[in-house]
Amino acid sequence: PKAIVRPSEIGDGAEMFPNLRPADKREIIAGTGGLSQDILDDGIRLSEGCWTVVLEDEPIAIYGYRETDDKAAYVWMLGTEKILDIRWQFLRATKNTINQIIKKYDSLWSLSYAKNTVHSDWYKWAGFEVVETINTGPFRLPFNYILLTRDKNV
């Protein structure tokens, strides 16, 4: 199957939310303390750039970035199990996007729930490195602080 990547639209999050991977749901709960259907569309609204991966008219992943200052941006991604159906296409497309975003900033960063190995693998694929693991969020659970610097990506 062939997926398309398009700019995200409000409503993509609500449509994808019921099918989120269990690991992504756990990450949302670990980071925020709850699980709200609005969280994905809020992420779309708050992002400078945001893309939805659509397979057979169904959103299967949403990823984006939010500028945190003029030199850095926070990167995020959530998805469904259907990403596995187009794994290599997804990895190439998201890495290409990361390579474009890093041109605008000195660094990209994120906090990823340490137990969500799928996210850890995705960030590594995109060139990020784990800088440290910190306990954060309402439950003080371990999150990896990950970083990609422009000089390492050129």
Side-chain angles (χ1 to χ4, degrees):
K2 181 120 171 101
I4 62 161
V5 179
R6 61 160 172 76
S8 295
E9 302 167 357
I10 300 301
D12 287 349
E15 186 176 347
M16 189 178 85
F17 181 81
N19 301 315
L20 271 180
R21 290 181 300 204
D24 287 1
K25 288 180 181 179
R26 287 190 294 273
E27 181 160 330
I28 293 168
I29 293 168
T32 66
L35 190 60
S36 165
Q37 181 172 327
D38 299 329
I39 197 152
L40 289 170
D41 283 324
D42 289 347
I44 292 169
R45 268 193 278 292
L46 295 171
S47 294
E48 266 78 34
C50 196
W51 298 270
T52 299
V53 180
V54 179
L55 179 64
E56 298 167 349
D57 296 322
E58 178 185 335
I60 63 167
I62 300 173
Y63 60 98
Y65 72 97
R66 183 175 68 240
E67 189 172 284
T68 52
D69 63 40
D70 62 347
K71 296 181 187 218
Y74 172 82
V75 175
W76 63 277
M77 184 272 292
L78 294 166
T80 73
E81 297 291 354
K82 288 192 176 184
I83 290 173
L84 295 174
D85 294 345
I86 55 145
R87 180 178 185 191
W88 296 112
Q89 181 186 350
F90 173 77
L91 290 172
R92 282 190 299 271
T94 55
K95 187 168 186 171
N96 288 340
T97 303
I98 296 294
N99 288 339
Q100 294 305 308
I101 298 168
I102 191 66
K103 292 177 183 178
K104 300 178 185 181
Y105 302 99
D106 291 344
S107 64
L108 301 177
W109 66 277
S110 192
L111 287 173
S112 179
Y113 186 40
K115 293 181 179 179
N116 190 343
T117 56
V118 173
H119 273 178
S120 298
D121 292 346
W122 178 71
Y123 284 116
K124 285 177 190 167
W125 168 265
F128 288 80
E129 294 180 11
V130 174
V131 175
E132 65 180 319
T133 301
I134 58 173
N135 292 324
T136 189
F139 306 113
R140 311 290 302 155
L141 294 171
F143 278 76
N144 292 325
Y145 171 68
I146 60 167
L147 184 68
L148 175 67
T149 56
R150 186 182 327 144
D151 59 339
K152 286 199 172 193
N153 199 52
V154 200

mmCIF file of all heavy atoms in Angstrom, residues 53-97:
data_model
loop_
_atom_site.group_PDB
_atom_site.id
_atom_site.type_symbol
_atom_site.label_atom_id
_atom_site.label_comp_id
_atom_site.label_asym_id
_atom_site.label_seq_id
_atom_site.Cartn_x
_atom_site.Cartn_y
_atom_site.Cartn_z
ATOM 1 N N VAL A 53 0.106 11.327 8.021
ATOM 2 C CA VAL A 53 0.327 10.220 7.091
ATOM 3 C C VAL A 53 -1.015 9.511 6.940
ATOM 4 O O VAL A 53 -1.621 9.097 7.930
ATOM 5 C CB VAL A 53 1.395 9.248 7.626
ATOM 6 C CG1 VAL A 53 1.608 8.107 6.642
ATOM 7 C CG2 VAL A 53 2.704 9.975 7.915
ATOM 8 N N VAL A 54 -1.478 9.411 5.696
ATOM 9 C CA VAL A 54 -2.792 8.839 5.412
ATOM 10 C C VAL A 54 -2.610 7.574 4.578
ATOM 11 O O VAL A 54 -1.909 7.587 3.560
ATOM 12 C CB VAL A 54 -3.683 9.848 4.661
ATOM 13 C CG1 VAL A 54 -5.047 9.249 4.345
ATOM 14 C CG2 VAL A 54 -3.836 11.138 5.467
ATOM 15 N N LEU A 55 -3.221 6.501 5.041
ATOM 16 C CA LEU A 55 -3.202 5.228 4.323
ATOM 17 C C LEU A 55 -4.645 4.787 4.128
ATOM 18 O O LEU A 55 -5.386 4.642 5.102
ATOM 19 C CB LEU A 55 -2.420 4.177 5.122
ATOM 20 C CG LEU A 55 -2.320 2.790 4.510
ATOM 21 C CD1 LEU A 55 -1.539 2.831 3.195
ATOM 22 C CD2 LEU A 55 -1.662 1.829 5.493
ATOM 23 N N GLU A 56 -5.043 4.605 2.868
ATOM 24 C CA GLU A 56 -6.404 4.187 2.546
ATOM 25 C C GLU A 56 -7.432 5.088 3.232
ATOM 26 O O GLU A 56 -8.354 4.627 3.901
ATOM 27 C CB GLU A 56 -6.588 2.713 2.903
ATOM 28 C CG GLU A 56 -5.671 1.804 2.108
ATOM 29 C CD GLU A 56 -5.597 0.381 2.634
ATOM 30 O OE1 GLU A 56 -6.085 0.109 3.754
ATOM 31 O OE2 GLU A 56 -5.026 -0.466 1.926
ATOM 32 N N ASP A 57 -7.239 6.396 3.086
ATOM 33 C CA ASP A 57 -8.144 7.431 3.622
ATOM 34 C C ASP A 57 -8.213 7.472 5.138
ATOM 35 O O ASP A 57 -9.157 8.040 5.702
ATOM 36 C CB ASP A 57 -9.569 7.282 3.045
ATOM 37 C CG ASP A 57 -9.598 7.494 1.543
ATOM 38 O OD1 ASP A 57 -8.855 8.376 1.060
ATOM 39 O OD2 ASP A 57 -10.342 6.780 0.856
ATOM 40 N N GLU A 58 -7.248 6.882 5.822
ATOM 41 C CA GLU A 58 -7.246 6.859 7.287
ATOM 42 C C GLU A 58 -5.933 7.437 7.808
ATOM 43 O O GLU A 58 -4.855 7.003 7.394
ATOM 44 C CB GLU A 58 -7.393 5.408 7.758
ATOM 45 C CG GLU A 58 -7.363 5.251 9.247
ATOM 46 C CD GLU A 58 -7.379 3.778 9.653
ATOM 47 O OE1 GLU A 58 -7.874 2.929 8.875
ATOM 48 O OE2 GLU A 58 -6.895 3.484 10.753
ATOM 49 N N PRO A 59 -5.997 8.428 8.719
ATOM 50 C CA PRO A 59 -4.759 8.929 9.308
ATOM 51 C C PRO A 59 -4.120 7.850 10.188
ATOM 52 O O PRO A 59 -4.785 7.275 11.052
ATOM 53 C CB PRO A 59 -5.188 10.127 10.154
ATOM 54 C CG PRO A 59 -6.660 10.193 10.123
ATOM 55 C CD PRO A 59 -7.175 9.119 9.222
ATOM 56 N N ILE A 60 -2.827 7.565 9.914
ATOM 57 C CA ILE A 60 -2.149 6.530 10.685
ATOM 58 C C ILE A 60 -0.970 7.081 11.492
ATOM 59 O O ILE A 60 -0.417 6.370 12.328
ATOM 60 C CB ILE A 60 -1.692 5.358 9.800
ATOM 61 C CG1 ILE A 60 -0.659 5.819 8.765
ATOM 62 C CG2 ILE A 60 -2.892 4.695 9.140
ATOM 63 C CD1 ILE A 60 0.058 4.683 8.078
ATOM 64 N N ALA A 61 -0.586 8.323 11.236
ATOM 65 C CA ALA A 61 0.475 8.966 12.015
ATOM 66 C C ALA A 61 0.356 10.468 11.850
ATOM 67 O O ALA A 61 -0.070 10.954 10.798
ATOM 68 C CB ALA A 61 1.854 8.508 11.576
ATOM 69 N N ILE A 62 0.718 11.163 12.897
ATOM 70 C CA ILE A 62 0.787 12.622 12.858
ATOM 71 C C ILE A 62 2.098 13.006 13.520
ATOM 72 O O ILE A 62 2.436 12.487 14.586
ATOM 73 C CB ILE A 62 -0.398 13.275 13.602
ATOM 74 C CG1 ILE A 62 -1.735 12.858 12.957
ATOM 75 C CG2 ILE A 62 -0.266 14.802 13.606
ATOM 76 C CD1 ILE A 62 -2.968 13.308 13.714
ATOM 77 N N TYR A 63 2.835 13.889 12.874
ATOM 78 C CA TYR A 63 4.078 14.367 13.462
ATOM 79 C C TYR A 63 4.258 15.846 13.140
ATOM 80 O O TYR A 63 3.717 16.345 12.155
ATOM 81 C CB TYR A 63 5.278 13.538 12.995
ATOM 82 C CG TYR A 63 5.536 13.535 11.506
ATOM 83 C CD1 TYR A 63 6.486 14.376 10.950
ATOM 84 C CD2 TYR A 63 4.850 12.670 10.667
ATOM 85 C CE1 TYR A 63 6.731 14.367 9.585
ATOM 86 C CE2 TYR A 63 5.093 12.645 9.312
ATOM 87 C CZ TYR A 63 6.040 13.499 8.768
ATOM 88 O OH TYR A 63 6.272 13.485 7.413
ATOM 89 N N GLY A 64 4.984 16.518 14.018
ATOM 90 C CA GLY A 64 5.160 17.940 13.810
ATOM 91 C C GLY A 64 6.250 18.509 14.695
ATOM 92 O O GLY A 64 6.970 17.787 15.379
ATOM 93 N N TYR A 65 6.350 19.840 14.652
ATOM 94 C CA TYR A 65 7.331 20.524 15.482
ATOM 95 C C TYR A 65 6.782 21.862 15.946
ATOM 96 O O TYR A 65 5.919 22.456 15.296
ATOM 97 C CB TYR A 65 8.660 20.715 14.736
ATOM 98 C CG TYR A 65 8.621 21.755 13.643
ATOM 99 C CD1 TYR A 65 9.065 23.055 13.877
ATOM 100 C CD2 TYR A 65 8.142 21.443 12.369
ATOM 101 C CE1 TYR A 65 9.030 24.010 12.869
ATOM 102 C CE2 TYR A 65 8.098 22.383 11.366
ATOM 103 C CZ TYR A 65 8.556 23.671 11.610
ATOM 104 O OH TYR A 65 8.518 24.615 10.615
ATOM 105 N N ARG A 66 7.273 22.280 17.094
ATOM 106 C CA ARG A 66 6.887 23.559 17.686
ATOM 107 C C ARG A 66 8.165 24.277 18.100
ATOM 108 O O ARG A 66 8.991 23.727 18.828
ATOM 109 C CB ARG A 66 5.989 23.319 18.898
ATOM 110 C CG ARG A 66 5.490 24.577 19.540
ATOM 111 C CD ARG A 66 4.502 24.296 20.659
ATOM 112 N NE ARG A 66 5.139 23.658 21.792
ATOM 113 C CZ ARG A 66 4.814 22.467 22.277
ATOM 114 N NH1 ARG A 66 3.842 21.771 21.750
ATOM 115 N NH2 ARG A 66 5.443 21.962 23.313
ATOM 116 N N GLU A 67 8.317 25.496 17.614
ATOM 117 C CA GLU A 67 9.488 26.289 17.967
ATOM 118 C C GLU A 67 9.466 26.588 19.459
ATOM 119 O O GLU A 67 8.438 26.993 20.003
ATOM 120 C CB GLU A 67 9.461 27.584 17.160
ATOM 121 C CG GLU A 67 10.711 28.396 17.250
ATOM 122 C CD GLU A 67 10.699 29.556 16.277
ATOM 123 O OE1 GLU A 67 10.909 29.325 15.063
ATOM 124 O OE2 GLU A 67 10.474 30.688 16.736
ATOM 125 N N THR A 68 10.612 26.367 20.132
ATOM 126 C CA THR A 68 10.698 26.672 21.558
ATOM 127 C C THR A 68 11.495 27.944 21.801
ATOM 128 O O THR A 68 11.345 28.573 22.838
ATOM 129 C CB THR A 68 11.303 25.494 22.350
ATOM 130 O OG1 THR A 68 12.534 25.102 21.749
ATOM 131 C CG2 THR A 68 10.337 24.316 22.345
ATOM 132 N N ASP A 69 12.345 28.311 20.882
ATOM 133 C CA ASP A 69 12.982 29.627 20.837
ATOM 134 C C ASP A 69 13.521 29.785 19.424
ATOM 135 O O ASP A 69 13.277 28.921 18.572
ATOM 136 C CB ASP A 69 14.061 29.806 21.919
ATOM 137 C CG ASP A 69 15.229 28.843 21.788
ATOM 138 O OD1 ASP A 69 15.674 28.570 20.643
ATOM 139 O OD2 ASP A 69 15.710 28.359 22.819
ATOM 140 N N ASP A 70 14.226 30.854 19.144
ATOM 141 C CA ASP A 70 14.632 31.081 17.749
ATOM 142 C C ASP A 70 15.715 30.120 17.261
ATOM 143 O O ASP A 70 16.043 30.110 16.086
ATOM 144 C CB ASP A 70 15.051 32.540 17.536
ATOM 145 C CG ASP A 70 16.252 32.949 18.381
ATOM 146 O OD1 ASP A 70 16.617 32.206 19.311
ATOM 147 O OD2 ASP A 70 16.808 34.028 18.116
ATOM 148 N N LYS A 71 16.242 29.289 18.149
ATOM 149 C CA LYS A 71 17.300 28.369 17.745
ATOM 150 C C LYS A 71 16.936 26.899 17.916
ATOM 151 O O LYS A 71 17.717 26.025 17.579
ATOM 152 C CB LYS A 71 18.568 28.655 18.556
ATOM 153 C CG LYS A 71 19.126 30.033 18.270
ATOM 154 C CD LYS A 71 20.380 30.279 19.041
ATOM 155 C CE LYS A 71 20.773 31.721 18.823
ATOM 156 N NZ LYS A 71 22.139 31.980 18.697
ATOM 157 N N ALA A 72 15.761 26.616 18.472
ATOM 158 C CA ALA A 72 15.418 25.217 18.769
ATOM 159 C C ALA A 72 13.930 24.963 18.554
ATOM 160 O O ALA A 72 13.113 25.873 18.650
ATOM 161 C CB ALA A 72 15.802 24.876 20.208
ATOM 162 N N ALA A 73 13.617 23.702 18.294
ATOM 163 C CA ALA A 73 12.217 23.306 18.136
ATOM 164 C C ALA A 73 12.020 21.920 18.745
ATOM 165 O O ALA A 73 12.920 21.086 18.733
ATOM 166 C CB ALA A 73 11.808 23.291 16.664
ATOM 167 N N TYR A 74 10.817 21.727 19.273
ATOM 168 C CA TYR A 74 10.386 20.458 19.868
ATOM 169 C C TYR A 74 9.709 19.630 18.779
ATOM 170 O O TYR A 74 8.837 20.132 18.063
ATOM 171 C CB TYR A 74 9.407 20.769 21.002
ATOM 172 C CG TYR A 74 8.729 19.568 21.593
ATOM 173 C CD1 TYR A 74 9.366 18.790 22.545
ATOM 174 C CD2 TYR A 74 7.438 19.213 21.205
ATOM 175 C CE1 TYR A 74 8.737 17.680 23.103
ATOM 176 C CE2 TYR A 74 6.806 18.110 21.753
ATOM 177 C CZ TYR A 74 7.461 17.355 22.696
ATOM 178 O OH TYR A 74 6.837 16.259 23.230
ATOM 179 N N VAL A 75 10.099 18.362 18.636
ATOM 180 C CA VAL A 75 9.559 17.469 17.619
ATOM 181 C C VAL A 75 8.718 16.394 18.300
ATOM 182 O O VAL A 75 9.071 15.906 19.372
ATOM 183 C CB VAL A 75 10.713 16.811 16.824
ATOM 184 C CG1 VAL A 75 10.188 15.788 15.833
ATOM 185 C CG2 VAL A 75 11.532 17.866 16.113
ATOM 186 N N TRP A 76 7.591 16.021 17.670
ATOM 187 C CA TRP A 76 6.731 14.997 18.257
ATOM 188 C C TRP A 76 6.121 14.131 17.147
ATOM 189 O O TRP A 76 6.063 14.549 15.991
ATOM 190 C CB TRP A 76 5.636 15.629 19.113
ATOM 191 C CG TRP A 76 4.685 16.506 18.347
ATOM 192 C CD1 TRP A 76 4.876 17.822 18.006
ATOM 193 C CD2 TRP A 76 3.420 16.132 17.807
ATOM 194 N NE1 TRP A 76 3.795 18.289 17.291
ATOM 195 C CE2 TRP A 76 2.881 17.273 17.167
ATOM 196 C CE3 TRP A 76 2.678 14.952 17.817
ATOM 197 C CZ2 TRP A 76 1.640 17.253 16.533
ATOM 198 C CZ3 TRP A 76 1.445 14.944 17.187
ATOM 199 C CH2 TRP A 76 0.938 16.092 16.563
ATOM 200 N N MET A 77 5.678 12.939 17.538
ATOM 201 C CA MET A 77 5.042 12.014 16.613
ATOM 202 C C MET A 77 4.194 11.024 17.402
ATOM 203 O O MET A 77 4.600 10.557 18.454
ATOM 204 C CB MET A 77 6.108 11.249 15.820
ATOM 205 C CG MET A 77 5.561 10.315 14.751
ATOM 206 S SD MET A 77 5.146 8.639 15.272
ATOM 207 C CE MET A 77 6.715 7.936 15.638
ATOM 208 N N LEU A 78 3.019 10.740 16.896
ATOM 209 C CA LEU A 78 2.155 9.697 17.452
ATOM 210 C C LEU A 78 1.545 8.932 16.281
ATOM 211 O O LEU A 78 1.337 9.504 15.210
ATOM 212 C CB LEU A 78 1.049 10.308 18.325
ATOM 213 C CG LEU A 78 1.533 11.003 19.600
ATOM 214 C CD1 LEU A 78 0.423 11.858 20.196
ATOM 215 C CD2 LEU A 78 2.022 9.985 20.615
ATOM 216 N N GLY A 79 1.253 7.651 16.498
ATOM 217 C CA GLY A 79 0.743 6.889 15.374
ATOM 218 C C GLY A 79 -0.075 5.676 15.782
ATOM 219 O O GLY A 79 -0.303 5.409 16.962
ATOM 220 N N THR A 80 -0.486 4.951 14.768
ATOM 221 C CA THR A 80 -1.268 3.725 14.945
ATOM 222 C C THR A 80 -0.401 2.532 14.524
ATOM 223 O O THR A 80 0.678 2.705 13.947
ATOM 224 C CB THR A 80 -2.548 3.739 14.086
ATOM 225 O OG1 THR A 80 -2.190 3.556 12.710
ATOM 226 C CG2 THR A 80 -3.331 5.034 14.243
ATOM 227 N N GLU A 81 -0.884 1.348 14.784
ATOM 228 C CA GLU A 81 -0.152 0.135 14.394
ATOM 229 C C GLU A 81 -0.008 0.009 12.877
ATOM 230 O O GLU A 81 0.858 -0.707 12.384
ATOM 231 C CB GLU A 81 -0.848 -1.113 14.954
ATOM 232 C CG GLU A 81 -0.904 -1.182 16.469
ATOM 233 C CD GLU A 81 0.448 -1.407 17.138
ATOM 234 O OE1 GLU A 81 1.459 -1.637 16.445
ATOM 235 O OE2 GLU A 81 0.487 -1.343 18.382
ATOM 236 N N LYS A 82 -0.839 0.707 12.119
ATOM 237 C CA LYS A 82 -0.783 0.600 10.661
ATOM 238 C C LYS A 82 0.484 1.200 10.071
ATOM 239 O O LYS A 82 0.776 0.982 8.893
ATOM 240 C CB LYS A 82 -2.029 1.223 10.028
ATOM 241 C CG LYS A 82 -3.267 0.379 10.260
ATOM 242 C CD LYS A 82 -4.410 0.827 9.400
ATOM 243 C CE LYS A 82 -5.591 -0.118 9.606
ATOM 244 N NZ LYS A 82 -6.701 0.208 8.727
ATOM 245 N N ILE A 83 1.244 1.939 10.881
ATOM 246 C CA ILE A 83 2.545 2.428 10.407
ATOM 247 C C ILE A 83 3.390 1.246 9.932
ATOM 248 O O ILE A 83 4.141 1.353 8.964
ATOM 249 C CB ILE A 83 3.283 3.212 11.521
ATOM 250 C CG1 ILE A 83 2.590 4.543 11.796
ATOM 251 C CG2 ILE A 83 4.744 3.457 11.133
ATOM 252 C CD1 ILE A 83 3.156 5.281 12.999
ATOM 253 N N LEU A 84 3.241 0.114 10.601
ATOM 254 C CA LEU A 84 4.027 -1.070 10.237
ATOM 255 C C LEU A 84 3.758 -1.517 8.798
ATOM 256 O O LEU A 84 4.621 -2.106 8.159
ATOM 257 C CB LEU A 84 3.751 -2.216 11.208
ATOM 258 C CG LEU A 84 4.188 -1.961 12.652
ATOM 259 C CD1 LEU A 84 3.727 -3.099 13.558
ATOM 260 C CD2 LEU A 84 5.690 -1.751 12.738
ATOM 261 N N ASP A 85 2.557 -1.221 8.276
ATOM 262 C CA ASP A 85 2.221 -1.610 6.907
ATOM 263 C C ASP A 85 3.049 -0.847 5.869
ATOM 264 O O ASP A 85 3.170 -1.300 4.730
ATOM 265 C CB ASP A 85 0.727 -1.370 6.630
ATOM 266 C CG ASP A 85 -0.174 -2.267 7.463
ATOM 267 O OD1 ASP A 85 0.331 -3.259 8.039
ATOM 268 O OD2 ASP A 85 -1.375 -1.966 7.549
ATOM 269 N N ILE A 86 3.553 0.310 6.260
ATOM 270 C CA ILE A 86 4.333 1.148 5.336
ATOM 271 C C ILE A 86 5.621 1.608 6.021
ATOM 272 O O ILE A 86 6.097 2.717 5.792
ATOM 273 C CB ILE A 86 3.510 2.365 4.865
ATOM 274 C CG1 ILE A 86 3.006 3.163 6.068
ATOM 275 C CG2 ILE A 86 2.367 1.940 3.964
ATOM 276 C CD1 ILE A 86 2.968 4.643 5.824
ATOM 277 N N ARG A 87 6.165 0.749 6.850
ATOM 278 C CA ARG A 87 7.273 1.125 7.730
ATOM 279 C C ARG A 87 8.384 1.895 7.028
ATOM 280 O O ARG A 87 8.792 2.963 7.455
ATOM 281 C CB ARG A 87 7.834 -0.129 8.384
ATOM 282 C CG ARG A 87 8.978 0.168 9.304
ATOM 283 C CD ARG A 87 9.487 -1.073 9.972
ATOM 284 N NE ARG A 87 10.517 -0.695 10.930
ATOM 285 C CZ ARG A 87 11.304 -1.540 11.517
ATOM 286 N NH1 ARG A 87 11.179 -2.819 11.263
ATOM 287 N NH2 ARG A 87 12.214 -1.126 12.353
ATOM 288 N N TRP A 88 8.936 1.358 5.939
ATOM 289 C CA TRP A 88 10.090 1.994 5.295
ATOM 290 C C TRP A 88 9.697 3.296 4.621
ATOM 291 O O TRP A 88 10.459 4.266 4.662
ATOM 292 C CB TRP A 88 10.766 1.020 4.334
ATOM 293 C CG TRP A 88 11.314 -0.144 5.092
ATOM 294 C CD1 TRP A 88 10.874 -1.440 5.045
ATOM 295 C CD2 TRP A 88 12.351 -0.117 6.080
ATOM 296 N NE1 TRP A 88 11.578 -2.208 5.934
ATOM 297 C CE2 TRP A 88 12.498 -1.429 6.585
ATOM 298 C CE3 TRP A 88 13.169 0.889 6.592
ATOM 299 C CZ2 TRP A 88 13.428 -1.755 7.554
ATOM 300 C CZ3 TRP A 88 14.102 0.553 7.571
ATOM 301 C CH2 TRP A 88 14.225 -0.739 8.036
ATOM 302 N N GLN A 89 8.544 3.334 4.024
ATOM 303 C CA GLN A 89 8.069 4.586 3.419
ATOM 304 C C GLN A 89 7.911 5.662 4.503
ATOM 305 O O GLN A 89 8.319 6.803 4.332
ATOM 306 C CB GLN A 89 6.733 4.344 2.707
ATOM 307 C CG GLN A 89 6.187 5.577 2.033
ATOM 308 C CD GLN A 89 4.788 5.366 1.455
ATOM 309 O OE1 GLN A 89 4.286 4.255 1.384
ATOM 310 N NE2 GLN A 89 4.158 6.454 1.063
ATOM 311 N N PHE A 90 7.348 5.266 5.647
ATOM 312 C CA PHE A 90 7.161 6.188 6.761
ATOM 313 C C PHE A 90 8.508 6.695 7.278
ATOM 314 O O PHE A 90 8.696 7.898 7.481
ATOM 315 C CB PHE A 90 6.387 5.496 7.891
ATOM 316 C CG PHE A 90 6.296 6.307 9.137
ATOM 317 C CD1 PHE A 90 5.413 7.366 9.228
ATOM 318 C CD2 PHE A 90 7.103 6.025 10.230
ATOM 319 C CE1 PHE A 90 5.331 8.126 10.379
ATOM 320 C CE2 PHE A 90 7.035 6.775 11.380
ATOM 321 C CZ PHE A 90 6.143 7.832 11.460
ATOM 322 N N LEU A 91 9.447 5.792 7.494
ATOM 323 C CA LEU A 91 10.763 6.191 8.015
ATOM 324 C C LEU A 91 11.467 7.152 7.065
ATOM 325 O O LEU A 91 12.019 8.173 7.494
ATOM 326 C CB LEU A 91 11.624 4.956 8.281
ATOM 327 C CG LEU A 91 11.178 4.085 9.449
ATOM 328 C CD1 LEU A 91 11.989 2.785 9.488
ATOM 329 C CD2 LEU A 91 11.284 4.822 10.775
ATOM 330 N N ARG A 92 11.439 6.871 5.773
ATOM 331 C CA ARG A 92 12.093 7.765 4.805
ATOM 332 C C ARG A 92 11.420 9.133 4.779
ATOM 333 O O ARG A 92 12.092 10.168 4.781
ATOM 334 C CB ARG A 92 12.078 7.137 3.411
ATOM 335 C CG ARG A 92 13.132 6.059 3.225
ATOM 336 C CD ARG A 92 13.244 5.632 1.758
ATOM 337 N NE ARG A 92 11.993 5.082 1.244
ATOM 338 C CZ ARG A 92 11.648 3.800 1.307
ATOM 339 N NH1 ARG A 92 12.447 2.923 1.871
ATOM 340 N NH2 ARG A 92 10.506 3.395 0.810
ATOM 341 N N ALA A 93 10.084 9.141 4.755
ATOM 342 C CA ALA A 93 9.361 10.417 4.676
ATOM 343 C C ALA A 93 9.606 11.278 5.910
ATOM 344 O O ALA A 93 9.855 12.488 5.793
ATOM 345 C CB ALA A 93 7.857 10.161 4.497
ATOM 346 N N THR A 94 9.566 10.667 7.089
ATOM 347 C CA THR A 94 9.748 11.471 8.298
ATOM 348 C C THR A 94 11.195 11.937 8.433
ATOM 349 O O THR A 94 11.449 13.061 8.857
ATOM 350 C CB THR A 94 9.297 10.713 9.564
ATOM 351 O OG1 THR A 94 9.971 9.464 9.652
ATOM 352 C CG2 THR A 94 7.794 10.500 9.563
ATOM 353 N N LYS A 95 12.150 11.100 8.037
ATOM 354 C CA LYS A 95 13.552 11.527 8.103
ATOM 355 C C LYS A 95 13.791 12.701 7.162
ATOM 356 O O LYS A 95 14.497 13.650 7.504
ATOM 357 C CB LYS A 95 14.487 10.372 7.785
ATOM 358 C CG LYS A 95 15.936 10.740 8.022
ATOM 359 C CD LYS A 95 16.844 9.544 8.004
ATOM 360 C CE LYS A 95 18.249 9.956 8.386
ATOM 361 N NZ LYS A 95 19.118 8.825 8.577
ATOM 362 N N ASN A 96 13.202 12.659 5.962
ATOM 363 C CA ASN A 96 13.330 13.781 5.033
ATOM 364 C C ASN A 96 12.766 15.064 5.642
ATOM 365 O O ASN A 96 13.354 16.137 5.494
ATOM 366 C CB ASN A 96 12.627 13.482 3.703
ATOM 367 C CG ASN A 96 13.375 12.459 2.877
ATOM 368 O OD1 ASN A 96 14.563 12.229 3.075
ATOM 369 N ND2 ASN A 96 12.675 11.822 1.956
ATOM 370 N N THR A 97 11.639 14.949 6.330
ATOM 371 C CA THR A 97 11.046 16.130 6.975
ATOM 372 C C THR A 97 11.955 16.658 8.073
ATOM 373 O O THR A 97 12.196 17.864 8.162
ATOM 374 C CB THR A 97 9.658 15.791 7.552
ATOM 375 O OG1 THR A 97 8.821 15.292 6.507
ATOM 376 C CG2 THR A 97 9.002 17.025 8.156
#
